[in-house]
Structures are given as C-alpha cells and as structure tokens.
Amino acid sequence: MYNDTELTSSIPLELVSTTDPTTATSDNTTICADQIMSDVLEGLSGKLLWGIIQLILMFFGNIGNILTLIVLNRRLMRKGGVNNLLQGLAISDIVAPTLACIPHIIYYYGPKTNHKLINFVNSFVLPVATGATFSSNWIVVTITCFRLMIVVKPLYSQVYCSSRNERKALTIIFLFSILSIVPYYYYRLNSDALTIVKVISAILSLLCPWVICVVLWILLIRIVNREIGTKKSQEFILHSEIIAQRLKSKSRITKMVLIICFFNIICQLPVLILTIFGLIDSCPCGYIRALVFVCLLFISNLLLIVNHSINFFIYSLTNCKFRYTLQIMCRHCCFFHDHIHSRIMTQRQIMTNDDPRKISGQRTLTPKYECNTCSNSKSRESPRLMLAMRTINPSRFNMKNTQSGRIAL
C-alpha cells in the first residue's frame, strides 16, 4: 500500500506490478489480494470503475468546484459566512481527485509499457494528492468549528470568525499539508521509514480530522435541534422581518455545514478502515480477506471522488444565496450575446432616427457656418458638405488675389 488517503487509487496499479502469474494457484488459502486485483483491473469491472466512472465523476466534480469558486467570488457572496474556507475547500477538491486519477488514465489509456511512468507518478505526484486531501479534511473541521462558534457564541464569533482569521487558518492548513508530504520524498527509497511515515500521515490526515468531525457534528446537531430547530421556529414570528430572515439564514447555513460534515464522515469511513487494514497487512491472503480488501478498495475509491465532487450540489440545494447568484451568473452567460445584439440594434435605431434631424439642421445653416463645420464633420453627408466647401473656397481665394493686386498697384 503506497499511501493512506488518496493512495487507495494507486493501490491497484502497484499491486499489478508485483503480481507474478506463475505463482497464482487455485487454492483459496493462497489467493492474495494482488492476484484478485490484477484480474479485476484487466477485466471489465475494473475498467468500468477506475477507467470510466471515476474519471467522469472527477470531470463533473472539477466543473462543479470551478463554478463554486466563481460564484463565491461574486460580489453578492463575498461577505457570506466561511466564504474563504469554502474557496479553500473547492481548491483542495480540485487538486486531490485530479492528481489521483492520473495513474488510472495512464494505465488504461496510455502506452502498454508504462510501468516506469506509473511508478514515477506514484512516487512524485500522488503525495501532492495526499496533501490536498489533508487540506480538505482539516478545512472541513475548521468550517465546522467556525460554525459551532457562530451558533453558540454569536458575539464572540464576530471577532474570532472573521475573514482575516479564515485566511490565517487556510494558510496554516496549507503549510502543514506541504510539511506532511515532505517525508514521502525524503524517505522515498527507505521502505521501513516510509512505513512509519504512512502511519503518522494516516493518523494526522485521516484519523484525527475524522474523530474531530464526528464530535463536532454531534455537538452542532444537538445545538441546532435545541436552538434553531422546530421548537424555536415559532419564535421567528415574534421578531421583525429582518431579524427573522437572519435567523432563518443562520439555520440554513448551519444545516449546510452539517450536511458537508456528514458526507465527509461517511465518505472517509471506508478509506479509514482500508488504511488501517492496509497498514496491518498490505497484501492480505485468503479468499475472504482478499475479497473484503478488494471490495473496500472499490468502495473507498468511489466515495473519495464523491466526497470531493458533491459540495457544489450541497451548496446549490441548501444555500438560497448561492443558488440565486448562480442563476444570475448563468443568465448573464446565456444572454450575453443577445444583450449585445439588442444593444447594437438599439444604437442603430437611434442613429437612424437622428440622421434626418441632422440633415434638416444642416440645411438651415448659413453657407459660411457650413464651410467652417464641414471639415470636422464625419457623418454620411460629408461628401455633400465637401462639395459645398470646394465651391465656396475658390471665391474666397479670388477675393484675396484681387485685394493683393490692389495693394500692389
């Protein structure tokens, strides 16, 4: 097993490289997970899961996260709660599945002799995906902590849950994520030290944030049921309309954070079990154990991609402001061409309506004024004015010549 979080996606590729067909037997007691995995990867089910479904989920998840970044940077959403943390979560959710799917793309759609390339990707690219998953998990923990502070201590939240503190928290998380992947490169050739690094990384990037998420989720859902639940829904009527809208918005954002935390807990649970299972026995033998390991591998890979791709849909379903901003942005994108075309047509209509007025105004002018203004005119009637200027200017030239002749005499 190469890694602890996103490395479940690289496990099958490494298992294939260690498989020896000559050692495969039909005895159930000697069948190991790498033998089953090699058959699965070469079969239709492996290509369908890792080569098609996972890439499709990654593609649509990246589109959703990019749209999330665009919507969160709109003016209407900039002052929303935990806005900066949600942007950091979207960036992590773009990096992690994209890099984790590179070995699958190389294996199924690259050249046949691609073992060196896959080993290079597993050694140098997938640790970055692990760091992105580290960031994603701890950002979810930070979002839940901030929301718990806002619900429990709303007065203190204005000081401690500000945008500046959100940016500080993101900076700290990204720095620790970089530090967490440095040992993978430093101990790349030392297998014993790398095993210890994997155990520590599994504890810091999977076990600790998962346990904290569970505790915070339980605390937050109890507080929501007590403070903003159905028992307090009747109290909205006693407040003014503005305060009632704020309370309802507060409850919606809290429910959105609860859903994000819940999906993170559910999707990370098989990965956590698979990581512990893999650290205990990296290649389990025996038909039942190997089959359980392969099933956990399938489920964990699928749920990891779902965890990184589902946030956009959660925001769209639970946050009215996000949905409204997205609708406005889509309308601007869809009707931008029609708006420009209608604007051009209205300008042309105004110009055509103004042309007869300009012509009638020019006819009422005196010849002298017409001569002075015709040189600066750039309208459609400029040739007619130029002819008038040419007929008037020779008379002036003749008058000047006669005057000069008189002076000479």
Side-chain angles (χ1 to χ4, degrees), residues 174-193:
F174 286 143
L175 286 176
F176 274 100
S177 66
I178 294 171
L179 292 176
S180 67
I181 64 175
V182 170
Y184 284 104
Y185 298 108
Y186 188 77
Y187 297 106
R188 183 172 56 88
L189 302 177
N190 191 348
S191 59
D192 295 332

Side-chain angles (χ1 to χ4, degrees), residues 276-382:
I276 297 172
F277 196 5
L279 291 174
I280 295 172
D281 189 1
S282 60
C283 186
C285 294
Y287 183 74
I288 297 176
R289 295 181 62 189
L291 189 62
V292 170
F293 183 84
V294 173
C295 292
L296 280 174
L297 187 61
F298 271 86
I299 296 171
S300 62
N301 274 270
L302 186 62
L303 290 181
L304 272 176
I305 302 297
V306 170
N307 185 34
H308 291 299
S309 307
I310 202 170
N311 289 333
F312 171 76
F313 302 99
I314 294 174
Y315 304 153
S316 301
L317 294 174
T318 58
N319 196 330
C320 298
K321 187 186 289 186
F322 184 90
R323 188 166 57 248
Y324 176 71
T325 309
L326 181 63
Q327 289 176 357
I328 292 175
M329 189 181 69
C330 293
R331 287 174 185 174
H332 287 171
C333 294
C334 295
F335 298 104
F336 183 71
H337 178 72
D338 295 336
H339 176 69
I340 293 177
H341 182 69
S342 62
R343 187 174 179 180
I344 292 172
M345 293 300 295
T346 52
Q347 288 179 355
R348 288 180 180 178
Q349 291 177 0
I350 292 171
M351 291 174 65
T352 53
N353 292 328
D354 288 342
D355 284 340
R357 298 177 183 176
K358 291 180 180 179
I359 295 170
S360 61
Q362 289 170 1
R363 288 178 181 176
T364 57
L365 293 174
T366 60
K368 184 177 181 180
Y369 183 76
E370 188 178 16
C371 296
N372 294 328
T373 57
C374 64
S375 60
N376 296 325
S377 176
K378 295 183 179 179
S379 62
R380 296 180 180 178
E381 299 295 329
S382 58

Side-chain angles (χ1 to χ4, degrees), residues 145-160:
C145 289
F146 273 52
R147 201 63 212 171
L148 186 63
M149 176 68 73
I150 292 171
V151 173
V152 177
K153 301 290 183 180
L155 296 178
Y156 292 100
S157 65
Q158 297 178 2
V159 178
Y160 296 106

Side-chain angles (χ1 to χ4, degrees), residues 367 370-371 374 382-394:
E370 188 178 16
C371 296
C374 64
S382 58
R384 197 174 295 175
L385 296 173
M386 291 296 290
L387 290 174
M389 183 180 69
R390 288 176 183 175
T391 56
I392 294 170
N393 284 337

